[in-house]
Structure formats: structure tokens, C-alpha cells
Amino acid sequence: VFPQLDPVTAPNVTSAIQLNVRCQPAGDFAIAQWTWSSANGGTSTGRLAGGTPPYAPGIPYSVGIAVAGSGPNRTLTPTLQIPGTDYTNASAGSYSDVLTLMVTP
């Protein structure tokens, strides 16, 4: 989801996607809770792993989630951010992570 990272200029990078969620049975889920976890990081900071040779600390990223909609229909917009200073020493190559989002009413 992130664009190609350039460690030479190292701009801050932001990427977002939209997820449509419908809770069943229908009702008002105004107090729905969301949590997320990163396969390479944890539940407070995600971490992209990879590189050639493998970049030992990985590239950390943060996640914020905006929720829109009402009743059972919601649009979740996870926004991922990487500060440029977090990848200036990263080795070249492909990086990835699996982000799991859990929504509970």
C-alpha cells in the first residue's frame, strides 16, 4: 500500500485505504471498538520486514483509523504513516507486513 520509499530524500510517507463494514444483526454500533496488530511488530507499532540484506530493525509505521457512517454500516479508513527518519538507513529490497484489524461492537 505504501509507495516506493526513497531513503536518500526520505520524505514522510502516508497511505490510506477504505474498508466498508456492515455489522449484523442491524443496530446502532456507535460504540464499536477497533484494534489492530502487526505480524512483524505488535499492537502499538507496525513493522515492515525485509530488505537485502534483511534490515534488522525493520521499518516501523503507525496506524490511525477514522470511522464514518451510522447504524450497522461503517467505513473504516486505516491511515499508515512512516516518518522519513525511520527508513533512511534501510537496505534496498522489498518490505512487507500483515496488518490485522478487528472490529467488535
Side-chain angles (χ1 to χ4, degrees):
V1 178
F2 285 112
Q4 185 173 346
L5 303 177
D6 181 356
V8 175
T9 59
N12 295 337
V13 177
T14 301
S15 183
I17 61 169
Q18 286 191 333
L19 304 168
N20 294 316
V21 176
R22 179 171 176 84
C23 296
Q24 290 291 338
D28 187 7
F29 294 94
I31 58 170
Q33 301 292 312
W34 58 267
T35 57
W36 63 274
S37 63
S38 159
N40 299 320
T43 57
S44 61
T45 301
R47 192 164 302 278
L48 298 171
T52 307
Y55 183 50
I59 300 173
Y61 62 90
S62 62
V63 177
I65 299 180
V67 180
S70 61
N73 299 311
R74 303 289 184 185
T75 299
L76 304 177
T77 305
T79 300
L80 291 72
Q81 297 178 324
I82 302 175
T85 55
D86 285 348
Y87 65 91
T88 56
N89 295 317
S91 56
S94 295
Y95 288 78
S96 65
D97 190 15
V98 175
L99 186 65
T100 303
L101 178 68
M102 294 169 281
V103 180
T104 53

